[in-house]
Amino acid sequence: MRFDVITLFPDMVDAVMGHGVLGRAAEQGLVELVTWNPRDYATDRHRTVDDRPYGGGPGMVMKVEPVRAAIQAARAAGEPASVVYLTPEGQKLDGAGVAALADCGRIILLCGRYEGIDERLIELEVDQEISIGDYVVSGGELPAMVMMDAVARLLPGVLGHADSAAQDAFAEGLLDCPHYTRPEVVAGQGVPDVLLSGDHQAVARWRHREALGRTWRKRPDLLEQRGLSHEEQTLLEDYRREQDY
Ligand SMILES: NC(=O)c1ccc(NCc2ccccc2N2CCOCC2)nc1
């Protein structure tokens, strides 16, 4: 999958592909990142990409032409792609949205700075607006990096077997189960016996029960949406009994 990011801070965005899971995925050619800086497409001597807002008011607005030229250069450099604008006004990104994006062969991500981008650019070039949550950050780069990380993790081969197993609970619309590692006792606290039992079926059952119980406790709204199988109802009742709920 290829990500093209339109940004005034390419070095910032490059960092997401330099480490860990995504770093390896980029090395393996599973994910590719190309950045395009509107400042390289500004035609005036000062390479201006922003200007004062019509109607007055504080701050600056990103100009249409340099951004549009960068987008068009990106479009011309590969397969047809959807242009996604990261903005607080966008459609809220969730697991389903990430999965849909993972099916695109290529995405062009547009990162706003200053007070935002001239509305005419959005009308001319943007296919979909996406938000990573109901809060404002100083530019679209961090939301773009969050989205690229979430999407890349769903691509075949990016997560080894171990990690993809970790995806199970979340992919099933549940929170994760608790995790433990050595030493067996730390600060006087031990590890649930089932995890030391070597009984893989019992471990899987316990983990599923814990994922259900924690989802019920921390995010009951997710359970509402998801519904429970009969077996899961039983597991959740076990959990509540065991936790004295
Ligand atoms: N929730 C999100 O996905 C999200 C995305 C971007 C973003 N900021 C970039 C931005 C993009 C569009 C419009 C305004 C702005 N901002 C520019 C800086 O000033 C504040 C407004 N913030 C949060």
Side-chain angles (χ1 to χ4, degrees):
M1 176 166 198
R2 170 166 159 166
F3 294 107
D4 291 79
V5 181
I6 314 298
T7 172
L8 294 173
F9 300 111
D11 295 350
M12 183 176 171
V13 174
D14 284 336
V16 76
M17 290 298 171
H19 311 276
V21 164
L22 291 201
R24 286 197 301 279
E27 280 163 20
Q28 294 164 12
L30 296 171
V31 185
E32 187 189 357
L33 168 63
V34 180
T35 56
W36 306 81
N37 188 339
R39 203 170 293 283
D40 298 335
Y41 298 88
T43 50
D44 65 306
R45 195 154 49 90
H46 300 290
R47 299 184 3 126
T48 310
V49 293
D50 64 317
D51 203 337
R52 289 176 295 108
Y54 279 115
M60 303 290 272
V61 175
M62 287 178 82
K63 293 172 65 65
V64 175
E65 301 105 321
V67 180
R68 189 169 196 213
I71 291 174
Q72 289 179 337
R75 285 188 195 279
E79 302 296 308
S82 179
V83 175
V84 172
Y85 183 38
L86 288 307
T87 166
E89 300 170 20
Q91 184 185 355
K92 194 74 64 53
L93 188 62
D94 60 8
V98 172
L101 290 166
D103 283 342
C104 305
R106 184 180 180 221
I107 304 175
I108 297 177
L109 297 173
L110 174 57
C111 302
R113 280 274 161 177
Y114 303 104
E115 298 308 306
I117 303 181
D118 185 307
E119 191 65 15
R120 291 167 292 182
L121 184 278
I122 296 158
E123 288 159 9
L124 286 165
E125 298 290 341
V126 171
D127 299 308
Q128 51 180 319
E129 299 188 349
I130 289 180
S131 169
I132 62 168
D134 289 337
Y135 46 86
V136 172
V137 291
S138 305
E141 286 79 11
L142 285 172
M145 293 159 88
V146 165
M147 180 199 235
M148 286 191 284
D149 189 294
V151 168
R153 291 172 62 84
L154 297 185
L155 300 176
V158 170
L159 291 183
H161 162 72
D163 293 324
S164 57
Q167 291 295 316
D168 286 352
F170 292 96
E172 279 182 28
L174 295 176
L175 301 185
D176 205 358
C177 61
H179 301 283
Y180 300 85
T181 189
R182 288 175 292 183
E184 190 179 321
V185 180
V186 58
Q189 300 291 313
V191 169
D193 292 338
V194 65
L195 298 180
L196 308 173
S197 70
D199 178 344
H200 300 300
Q201 197 178 4
V203 169
R205 188 176 162 77
W206 180 87
R207 285 178 171 159
H208 193 178
R209 194 187 74 180
E210 286 295 312
L212 286 162
R214 287 151 74 96
T215 308
W216 171 72
R217 195 157 33 90
K218 298 181 182 178
R219 289 292 307 278
D221 56 299
L222 291 180
L223 279 195
E224 290 297 313
Q225 282 173 25
R226 178 186 184 279
L228 298 179
S229 70
H230 182 70
E231 203 237 344
E232 287 175 327
Q233 291 274 12
T234 309
L235 283 174
L236 184 51
E237 280 150 24
D238 293 351
Y239 177 90
R240 286 155 66 168
R241 198 176 314 112
E242 173 118 342
Q243 304 278 335
D244 300 328
Y245 273 92

